[in-house]
Amino acid sequence: MYGSVFRMDAAPARTAFPRLDESLLSRLPPFSKLDRRQIRTILDQATSRRYESGVSIFDEGAPAERFYMLLDGYVRVVRITPTGEQVTALHIPAGQLLGIARAIGKTVYPATAIAATESIALSWPMHLWDRFVADYDGFATGTYKTIGDRMGEMNTRIVEMATQQVEQRVANALLRLINQTGRKVANGIEIDFPITRQDLSELTATTLHTVSRLLSAWERQGLVQSSRKRIVVCDPHALMVLAQA
DNA sequence: ACATTAATTATGT
DNA sequence: ACATAATTAATGT
């Protein structure tokens, strides 16, 4: 999957030595309006790095020194409560920026980012942010759009928590997940990174037990199919119906 | 309509 | 073998 582009298997991997290809960025929204020369200079300033599943890319509260473009994999954005437990805020698929605290005027990261799968990201020192915004057409609007999208998602989740019951909340969460990170498989659409019932319960403000029961019930009705850390939605439409009761 | 507690079983390294 | 994940039942608010 990654091997064709990156040859950094057994390396500490901290540099851009494989001469990153311009096609990596040219199609992504924040960079899509730029010409090859501009992308070249952006890439030449970037650091490429591979993250094992489960390792943190940056931590909540730490000074926001770099911003990132996720090239492959999935990232969980997690907040740590005062009591030390993790609460998953949202998931970021490949092709999106992250760690863009600067865009909302923050100098520290507001949350922790953890690789949900093995991931690859480019990063730049944060002091380049203002130049990117000033020099590159479409970068600012692109980033504002992703920020808007994420705020919108978190907002609708808050509304859901206040208005909907647990069953429709997790139904909605599942639908969002397959929309953003769904992969077509034989019997439906699979969330293509490992997700536990604990994760789902954090996204929907319930317990893993309730999620487990719901998934078991839905599985009996042929709505979903799940195993350890894997969930396949077989009947999205039926889920949508459930989500609106 | 849901959480909590606790006991049990399954699954991946 | 061990740790982590998932299920299930019983009880509580």
Side-chain angles (χ1 to χ4, degrees):
Chain A
M1 196 191 235
Y2 334 93
S4 56
V5 179
F6 300 90
R7 278 278 92 95
M8 35 179 39
D9 306 290
R14 245 279 157 192
T15 119
F17 66 82
R19 279 294 148 240
L20 300 159
D21 194 286
E22 291 135 34
S23 65
L24 287 175
L25 295 185
S26 57
R27 293 199 159 272
L28 301 178
F31 303 111
S32 53
K33 290 187 176 175
L34 307 180
D35 61 43
R36 172 170 295 171
R37 202 183 46 79
Q38 291 173 305
I39 291 186
R40 187 69 260 161
T41 70
I42 288 176
L43 281 174
D44 286 342
Q45 301 177 88
T47 292
S48 171
R49 160 97 130 102
R50 200 174 71 95
Y51 300 87
E52 296 293 327
S53 174
V55 315
S56 92
I57 298 169
F58 52 80
D59 291 290
E60 176 174 354
E65 288 164 347
R66 307 184 71 83
F67 62 100
Y68 301 78
M69 165 58 76
L70 186 62
L71 289 183
D72 196 11
Y74 290 92
V75 166
R76 277 187 296 143
V77 174
V78 157
R79 301 220 46 197
I80 312 292
T81 70
T83 51
E85 50 232 306
Q86 291 186 354
V87 175
T88 305
L90 68 120
H91 296 264
I92 296 181
Q96 288 195 196
L97 293 168
L98 73 155
I100 50 182
R102 180 61 170 277
I104 50 175
K106 307 276 284 183
T107 60
V108 300
Y109 295 115
T112 297
I114 297 176
T117 65
E118 185 175 306
S119 299
I120 295 175
L122 300 181
S123 71
W124 298 266
M126 197 60 90
H127 67 75
L128 289 180
W129 180 268
D130 293 323
R131 282 231 214 90
F132 276 39
V133 169
D135 295 353
Y136 298 130
D137 183 29
F139 183 79
T141 56
T143 62
Y144 286 138
K145 185 184 182 312
T146 73
I147 289 173
D149 289 347
R150 289 178 197 171
M151 280 181 42
E153 177 181 343
M154 297 195 266
N155 198 355
T156 66
R157 282 231 314 271
I158 291 175
V159 173
E160 285 176 15
M161 311 256 211
T163 61
Q164 301 182 333
Q165 315 220 106
V166 174
E167 188 176 30
Q168 22 279 5
R169 294 210 301 265
V170 318
N172 275 310
L174 267 184
L175 288 170
R176 269 194 299 274
L177 284 168
I178 63 171
N179 271 332
Q180 295 160 10
T181 74
R183 180 180 47 127
K184 290 181 187 75
V185 291
N187 41 0
I189 304 173
E190 174 175 14
I191 300 171
D192 93 339
F193 59 86
I195 185 163
T196 65
R197 287 123 223 267
Q198 174 77 40
D199 291 330
L200 248 184
S201 71
E202 288 173 0
L203 283 171
T204 53
T206 179
T207 65
L208 71 152
H209 310 267
T210 300
V211 170
S212 178
R213 280 187 278 267
L214 284 171
L215 286 179
S216 297
W218 291 344
E219 179 135 27
R220 274 175 236 124
Q221 303 164 225
L223 262 176
V224 304
Q225 205 167 294
S226 67
S227 54
R228 159 178 276 236
K229 293 189 180 182
R230 300 178 75 253
I231 301 176
V232 177
V233 176
C234 308
D235 192 345
H237 184 259
L239 255 195
M240 289 202 54
V241 174
L242 261 184
Q244 279 147 21

